C-alpha cells in the first residue's frame, strides 16, 4: 500500500466479519480511517487501524476488550471490534457509537468563552475520574476526541490504556501530550496535562505555553498547574474542580445549573454558513456540551449540517470611529530546528510531535510526495519542547483558512489545521 489513508478509499463496500459493511469514508489519519456503518440497524462508525506490528495489534485488541466493558455516560460506546485483512494489510477494526460533532471544528472558527469551557469540564472530568478510578487513562485528550452525541458530551474510548503500563501500540506524540509520554509513561497526570493544553487552546486559539499570559483566573492557574513538567507536582483533577468552584464559595452560594445554550460557528464558503451546537449541564446526572465540526482531525466524526441562523440586528448605532492605536512591535520569530522559522501570526500545521526527528521525517515524506507544499519542520516554542510540520506561517486568519483549503486540494493531510503563534 502507498499509504493506509490513500489506499482505504478503495474499501467502501467492504464486508467485515459478515456483520458490517463499510460505507463512505468520513475521516482519516496517517494510520487509521473511519467509515459509516450500521450496528443493529442503527447508524454507527467503523474505524480501521493499521498497527505498527503484530505485537501492537495484539495490545490494541486487549485494550479494546477492556474499553468495551467501561461504560459511562461521557464515554463513546464501543460496540464491537476485531481483526480483518485487506489488500495484504492486517488491520484492527472497532465499531463505535456515532458522534454528531466535535470540538476541533469549533476551534477552527473561534475560541470558547469561559462558561462554555466550564460546561466542557463538567462532562470531561467525570469521565476521566471514572477511568482513573478503574486504573485506566484516556491518553488522547485533544479537540478531535471531545465529541457530542445528541445532548451528551463524550470522550473517545478506542485508545484507552492501563495506567503505568507500557503498551505495544504507539501514536506520534503531539502538542497535547505530556512530556513523559515520549518515554511510554502514561498515568492520570498525563491526562491532566492534556486537559490543561486543551484549556489553553480552547480559550486562546493556541496550544502553546506562550499564550498562558492571556488567561484570567482560575484558568491561568489550571493551565500552569496542569502543565507542570514534573508529573508528581502536576495538578490533579480534584484541584482543577476546586479551582473552578472553590469549596467555601460553593457552600455559601451553590452554583446554578446553566440553561441549555446554543453556539454558532461561521464556516467556509464550501460548507453551510452556520452550524448549531447544543450544550446541556445537568448536575449529578448528565452533563452535555455540544461542540461543532468543520474539519475532521484524528478520530473525529463528521458534523451534521444545520439550518442557517440569521444574525441579530443591532439596536444601537455604532460608535464614532476612533484613531487607531500604534501597531505593537511584532515578536521575533521562533527559530526552527532545520533553519526555518515560525513567523508570528496564523500558521498551517500538517502534524505535531514531541521529537525533532519525527517532525523532520514527516516533513520529508510530505515533500517527497507533494513537492509543491514545501513542508518543513520547525520548533513550536523557544525551548524546543514541541515540533511542528509547517505548510505556511505568518498569515492572517483568512489567509490561513484559504491556504489550508488550497493545501488540502494539493494533497496535504486531511487532518491539517491552523493555529496562531505570537
Amino acid at each position: 500500500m502507498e499509504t493506509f489513508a490513500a489506499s482505504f478509499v478503495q474499501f467502501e463496500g467492504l464486508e467485515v466479519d459478515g456483520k458490517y459493511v463499510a460505507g463512505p469514508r468520513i475521516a482519516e489519519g496517517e494510520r487509521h480511517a473511519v467509515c459509516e456503518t450500521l450496528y443493529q440497524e442503527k447508524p454507527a462508525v467503523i474505524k480501521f487501524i493499521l498497527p505498527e506490528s503484530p505485537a501492537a495489534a495484539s495490545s490494541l485488541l486487549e485494550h479494546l476488550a477492556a474499553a468495551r466493558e467501561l461504560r459511562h455516560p461521557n464515554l463513546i460506546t464501543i460496540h464491537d471490534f476485531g481483526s480483518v485483512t485487506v489488500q495484504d494489510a492486517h488491520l484492527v477494526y472497532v465499531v463505535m457509537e456515532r458522534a454528531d460533532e466535535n470540538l476541533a471544528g469549533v476551534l477552527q472558527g473561534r475560541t470558547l468563552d469561559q462558561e462554555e469551557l466550564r460546561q466542557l469540564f463538567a462532562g470531561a472530568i467525570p469521565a476521566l475520574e471514572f477511568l482513573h478510578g478503574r486504573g485506566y487513562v484516556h491518553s488522547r485528550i485533544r479537540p478531535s476526541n471531545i465529541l457530542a452525541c445528541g445532548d451528551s458530551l463524550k470522550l473517545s474510548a478506542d485508545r484507552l490504556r492501563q495506567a503505568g503500563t507500557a503498551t505495544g501500540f504507539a501514536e506520534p506524540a503531539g502538542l497535547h501530550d505530556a512530556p513523559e509520554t515520549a518515554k511510554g509513561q502514561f498515568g492520570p497526570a498525563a491526562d491532566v496535562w492534556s486537559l490543561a493544553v486543551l484549556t489553553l487552546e480552547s480559550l486562546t486559539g493556541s496550544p502553546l505555553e506562550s499564550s498562558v499570559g492571556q488567561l484570567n483566573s482560575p484558568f491561568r492557574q489550571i493551565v500552569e498547574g496542569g502543565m507542570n513538567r514534573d508529573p508528581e507536582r502536576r495538578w490533579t483533577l480534584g484541584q482543577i474542580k476546586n479551582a473552578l468552584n472553590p469549596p467555601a464559595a460553593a457552600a455559601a452560594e451553590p452554583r446554578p445549573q446553566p440553561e441549555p445554550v446554543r453556539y454558532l460557528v461561521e464556516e467556509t464558503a464550501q460548507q453551510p454558513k452556520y452550524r448549531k451546537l447544543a450544550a446541556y449541564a445537568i448536575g449529578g446526572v448528565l452533563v452535555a456540551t455540544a461542540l461543532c465540526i468543520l474539519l475532521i482531525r484524528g478520530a473525529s466524526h463528521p458534523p451534521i449540517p444545520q439550518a442557517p441562523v440569521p444574525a441579530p440586528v443591532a439596536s444601537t448605532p455604532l460608535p464614532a470611529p476612533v484613531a487607531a492605536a500604534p501597531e505593537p512591535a511584532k515578536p521575533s520569530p521562533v527559530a526552527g530546528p532545520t533553519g526555518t522559522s515560525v513567523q508570528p501570526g496564523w500558521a498551517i500545521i500538517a502534524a505535531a510531535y514531541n521529537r525533532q526527528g519525527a517532525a523532520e521525517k514527516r516533513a520529508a515524506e510530505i515533500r517527497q510526495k507533494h513537492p509543491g507544499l514545501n513542508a518543513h519542520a520547525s520548533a513550536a516554542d523557544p525551548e524546543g519542547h514541541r515540533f511542528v510540520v509547517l505548510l505556511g506561517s505568518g498569515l492572517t486568519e483568512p489567509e490561513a483558512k484559504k491556504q489550508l483549503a488550497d493545501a488540502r486540494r494539493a494533497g496535504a493531510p486531511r487532518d491539517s489545521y491552523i493555529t496562531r503563534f505570537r
Side-chain angles (χ1 to χ4, degrees):
M1 293 190 302
E2 183 179 8
T3 67
F4 178 63
S7 67
F8 187 82
V9 70
Q10 306 169 27
F11 297 172
E12 184 174 335
L14 172 71
E15 186 173 307
V16 179
D17 282 353
K19 297 182 289 186
Y20 312 109
V21 177
R25 188 181 70 237
I26 54 178
E28 66 181 8
E30 187 174 351
R31 302 189 72 86
H32 75 268
V34 182
C35 284
E36 296 178 351
T37 193
L38 294 176
Y39 177 77
Q40 296 181 352
E41 304 304 319
K42 295 181 180 179
V45 297
I46 183 167
K47 181 176 182 179
F48 295 91
I49 303 168
L50 178 63
E52 295 180 334
S53 66
S58 177
S59 178
L60 177 55
L61 289 169
E62 290 178 8
H63 284 80
L64 287 172
R68 184 170 59 178
E69 304 305 316
L70 294 170
R71 300 300 178 97
H72 187 274
N74 299 113
L75 286 176
I76 286 288
T77 300
I78 293 179
H79 298 307
D80 198 3
F81 64 92
S83 301
V84 62
T85 300
V86 181
Q87 297 179 359
D88 297 325
H90 301 291
L91 309 177
V92 171
Y93 74 86
V94 52
V95 179
M96 298 176 286
E97 174 184 11
R98 176 170 180 146
D100 303 318
E101 307 170 304
N102 73 16
L103 178 59
V106 174
L107 298 184
Q108 290 289 343
R110 64 174 178 87
T111 58
L112 301 186
D113 62 35
Q114 293 186 8
E115 186 56 38
E116 292 169 335
L117 185 60
R118 285 181 180 274
Q119 294 172 344
L120 187 155
F121 276 128
I125 290 179
L128 292 176
E129 289 178 324
F130 170 81
L131 292 175
H132 296 172
R134 284 154 181 78
Y136 284 85
V137 294
H138 185 276
S139 82
R140 300 287 290 172
I141 298 174
R142 53 207 61 202
S144 58
N145 291 333
I146 307 295
L147 308 165
C149 297
D151 294 339
S152 299
L153 177 139
K154 300 194 178 189
L155 303 184
S156 64
D158 57 297
R159 298 301 250 184
L160 305 182
R161 301 173 184 258
Q162 284 183 303
T165 302
T167 58
F169 65 87
E171 293 274 0
L175 290 173
H176 298 84
D177 298 317
E180 66 270 17
T181 62
K183 301 177 182 179
Q185 300 173 6
F186 290 88
D191 280 347
V192 171
W193 171 285
S194 300
L195 191 61
V197 177
L198 185 73
T199 300
L200 181 61
E201 182 176 13
S202 296
L203 292 177
T204 70
S206 170
L208 304 178
E209 293 171 82
S210 57
S211 302
V212 173
Q214 301 177 48
L215 301 179
N216 298 322
S217 178
F219 300 102
R220 179 167 184 168
Q221 290 77 8
I222 289 172
V223 171
E224 291 175 340
M227 295 180 71
N228 190 314
R229 295 190 176 276
D230 182 354
E232 298 296 325
R233 301 177 61 188
R234 197 171 296 157
W235 272 30
T236 64
L237 293 175
Q239 287 175 291
I240 292 177
K241 289 198 301 183
N242 287 340
L244 290 168
N245 194 19
E253 184 177 354
R255 182 180 180 82
Q257 299 300 329
E259 293 295 325
V261 296
R262 294 187 178 274
Y263 310 115
L264 299 179
V265 180
E266 187 169 358
E267 302 193 342
T268 62
Q270 290 78 18
Q271 300 291 336
K273 186 174 181 182
Y274 293 107
R275 196 177 308 284
K276 63 182 178 181
L277 196 60
Y280 297 84
I282 306 176
V285 181
L286 178 67
V287 182
T289 306
L291 306 157
C292 91
I293 182 168
L294 168 61
L295 303 173
I296 304 297
R297 291 178 56 198
S300 59
H301 305 294
I304 295 179
Q306 305 290 332
V309 177
V313 179
S315 59
T316 56
L318 296 174
V322 296
E327 183 178 354
K330 292 186 176 181
S332 300
V334 180
T338 58
T340 62
S341 60
V342 183
Q343 301 293 332
W346 288 83
I348 303 171
I349 308 297
Y353 301 92
N354 275 345
R355 295 184 293 275
Q356 176 179 336
E360 292 175 342
K361 178 182 177 182
R362 182 60 176 146
E365 291 173 350
I366 295 175
R367 286 198 304 272
Q368 182 178 9
K369 191 172 181 181
H370 305 288
L373 291 177
N374 191 31
H376 55 275
S378 181
D381 55 58
E383 295 79 16
H385 298 308
R386 295 287 189 273
F387 300 90
V388 294
V389 178
L390 286 174
L391 301 179
S393 65
L395 307 170
T396 65
E397 186 175 4
E399 289 173 342
K401 288 181 177 180
K402 180 180 183 303
Q403 291 190 27
L404 175 62
D406 293 341
R408 285 207 180 96
R409 285 192 290 270
R414 291 173 63 90
D415 54 356
S416 300
Y417 62 100
I418 62 173
T419 191
R420 183 170 51 192
F421 290 84
R422 293 177 174 81

